Amino acid sequence: MKRERKSEIPEVVKDLGIKIKDIIEEKKFKRREVAHDAEMDVESLRKYIKGSQEMKLSTLFKIAQALKIHPSELIKDL
């Protein structure tokens, strides 16, 4: 039986995931390397990219560091 969410995922979370995915592709990084550098498992990173899981602010900073960008680049224009 599949669990249902208590509330819908905000559109901005999905947009953030798309932005992370685009930066990974643009920089030609491997997802597993980004996940490792951000101190998380690949499955968690996949959920963030897919927009199916909201992330803590500390996680956003770790992902930005792994992508070698300033955290503001991830949330700019969302």
Side-chain angles (χ1 to χ4, degrees):
M1 184 166 107
K2 190 170 181 171
R3 290 185 353 196
E4 288 190 29
R5 292 190 57 84
K6 292 179 184 171
S7 61
E8 282 296 311
I9 297 276
E11 199 62 36
V12 71
V13 173
K14 296 173 185 176
D15 293 341
L16 177 59
I18 291 168
K19 187 171 259 192
I20 292 169
K21 179 174 120 341
D22 290 346
I23 293 170
I24 289 172
E25 290 173 357
E26 177 185 307
K27 293 185 172 248
K28 295 181 173 57
F29 288 158
K30 289 183 170 59
R31 286 186 184 186
R32 84 173 168 275
E33 292 170 349
V34 173
H36 177 268
D37 291 348
E39 300 172 352
M40 69 178 62
D41 59 276
V42 180
E43 184 61 23
S44 293
L45 180 62
R46 187 191 67 75
K47 288 178 183 177
Y48 296 134
I49 289 172
K50 190 177 172 189
S52 63
Q53 182 172 316
E54 294 186 60
M55 69 177 78
K56 294 192 277 185
L57 189 57
S58 59
T59 303
L60 182 125
F61 275 77
K62 287 179 182 180
I63 291 173
Q65 186 175 6
L67 295 173
K68 299 173 178 34
I69 61 172
H70 192 274
S72 65
E73 290 296 310
L74 288 176
I75 57 174
K76 185 172 65 172
D77 302 326
L78 287 183

